Amino acid sequence: MVTLPTIGVAGCGAMGLPMAKSLQRSGFDVYGYDVRPKTAFGDFSPRMLEDAAALAARCPVVISVVRDWGQTEELCFGNKGLFSGDVHPHILVVSSTLSPKIISILRKSLPSDTRLIDAPMSGAPFSAEEGTLTFMLGGDADDIAEIMSAFTAMGSEINHLGPLGQGMLCKVLNNMLAASSVVAVREILKAADALEFPRDRLLEVASSSSGATWFGDNLDKISWATEGYSLVNTIGILEKDVNALIDTTADFPELRINEFARSVIAELRNLPEE
C-alpha cells in the first residue's frame, strides 16, 4: 500500500482551498494556512493552522498558492515563515504564477535539502473544484514522480516541461494568451450588443469555429468573467501575470510581444464591471 505524504496548502483562496479539498478527497492528509481567520474556511476550518511555520512542521510537502512574489517571500522567509524554524518542507511546490527569473532567485535562497518544483496551474476556480486543473511542471523528474499522485488528484492535464523554471516559463506565455483573449472576448461581446447580435449565439458558434477561446467557451462557468479591473481581483492578477511575461522577455527588447503586452495591460485596466 502506497503511503501518501502529508501536504500543506499555503494560500487557501479561490484556487488553493478547492485544491486542498481535492487532495483530501483523494486520501491525502491535508492542512492549510492563510492570512484570513480560520472561521473563513467552512468545513475545512479544523485543518487550518495558525502560521506557515506550523504548516512546515507538520507537512513535508507544501504547495504555495499565494498571489505574487511579495507574498511568496513573506510565506517562506517572513516571521513564522516556512523556513523560519528548525523544521522545513522536504518539497516546496510553487503554484503561484511568477516570473521564471524569480524561481531561480528562490532556489538560491532555499535550504539545499529542500527540493523545489515550479507547478503553476491553469483553470478557473470551477476547474480547481472539479479537480481538472492543467499543471505546467518544472523540476527534477524524480521529485515530480514522488508527488505525482498529488498533481493527478488536483488536475487532469499534467505536463512536465523540463528542468526547474520551465513550468513557469510556459505559464507566463500561456497567460499572455489568456489575458489577450479576455480583452478580445469582452470587447467583441460589447460590439455584438451594439450590433444587436445575440452574444449567446455568437459564443455558441465561436466555440466550434475559429473564434474559440477558453475564456469565451467557459464564460458562464468563470466566476470572474464580468469583473472590472481592480488590483485585488482576478483581472488584477492577469495584469500581474502579463508583467511577469514582460520581466521574462526583458532581455529581448526586439520582441514585439513586449509592446503588445503593455497594450494588453492598458486594455485590462479599462475593463469595467459588467
Side-chain angles (χ1 to χ4, degrees), residues 32 34-42 44-50:
D34 196 273
V35 295
R36 293 177 294 160
K38 292 175 65 173
T39 54
F41 300 94
F44 197 74
S45 293
R47 311 296 293 182
M48 297 297 293
L49 301 180
E50 63 272 17

Side-chain angles (χ1 to χ4, degrees), residues 18 28 32 36 42 51 106 117 129 149 161-162 229:
F28 286 89
R36 293 177 294 160
D51 53 52
L106 180 60
I117 298 170
E129 291 163 5
S149 57
L161 299 164
Y229 173 78

Side-chain angles (χ1 to χ4, degrees), residues 16-274:
L17 183 59
M19 289 166 67
K21 289 183 175 182
S22 289
L23 289 166
Q24 195 175 41
R25 285 195 301 270
S26 294
F28 286 89
D29 190 23
V30 184
Y31 293 89
Y33 165 67
D34 196 273
V35 295
R36 293 177 294 160
K38 292 175 65 173
T39 54
F41 300 94
D43 58 2
F44 197 74
S45 293
R47 311 296 293 182
M48 297 297 293
L49 301 180
E50 63 272 17
D51 53 52
L55 194 72
R58 192 181 288 260
C59 305
V61 178
V62 172
I63 302 172
S64 171
V65 202
V66 298
R67 181 185 176 98
D68 53 25
W69 169 236
Q71 291 187 7
T72 302
E73 193 172 27
E74 179 65 22
L75 171 71
C76 291
F77 309 115
N79 182 38
K80 295 187 178 180
L82 294 174
F83 298 94
S84 63
D86 295 332
V87 180
H88 50 254
H90 176 58
I91 296 178
L92 176 62
V93 179
V94 177
S95 286
S96 312
T97 300
L98 307 173
S99 167
K101 294 179 180 179
I102 292 294
I103 295 299
S104 178
I105 292 171
L106 180 60
R107 174 63 275 174
K108 293 173 183 177
S109 303
L110 293 175
S112 59
D113 60 343
T114 293
R115 291 179 277 169
L116 180 62
I117 298 170
D118 57 305
M121 71 288 186
S122 183
F126 78 85
S127 299
E129 291 163 5
E130 295 171 353
T132 57
L133 292 167
T134 293
F135 280 94
M136 307 167 204
L137 309 181
D140 182 84
D142 290 339
D143 296 344
I144 289 171
E146 185 173 331
I147 58 169
M148 181 57 75
S149 57
F151 291 122
T152 56
M154 299 180 289
S156 57
E157 295 289 337
I158 317 299
N159 304 282
H160 183 197
L161 299 164
L164 189 68
Q166 290 298 292
M168 206 62 72
L169 179 56
C170 183
K171 181 63 189 301
V172 298
L173 293 167
N174 174 84
N175 277 26
M176 177 62 196
L177 292 171
S180 58
S181 69
V182 167
V183 170
V185 170
R186 291 277 295 266
E187 294 302 327
I188 284 294
L189 291 179
K190 289 180 187 177
D193 292 343
L195 296 166
E196 298 183 350
F197 190 88
R199 56 170 58 195
D200 290 346
R201 186 69 174 129
L202 171 62
L203 291 171
E204 179 186 357
V205 173
S207 68
S208 60
S209 65
S210 58
T213 65
W214 175 83
F215 183 71
D217 293 351
N218 293 284
L219 202 66
D220 291 339
K221 297 180 180 179
I222 298 171
S223 58
W224 49 268
T226 59
E227 286 181 349
Y229 173 78
S230 168
L231 284 174
V232 298
N233 67 10
T234 304
I235 303 300
I237 289 175
L238 279 176
E239 178 189 29
K240 180 264 299 182
D241 294 350
V242 176
N243 274 317
L245 173 69
I246 292 172
D247 183 61
T248 304
T249 57
D251 296 332
F252 302 89
E254 72 280 5
L255 292 176
R256 292 187 61 202
I257 195 66
N258 296 300
E259 182 179 354
F260 181 50
R262 285 187 284 270
S263 69
V264 167
I265 287 175
E267 293 299 331
L268 287 170
R269 290 180 177 180
N270 283 331
L271 288 177
E273 185 173 356
E274 294 185 355

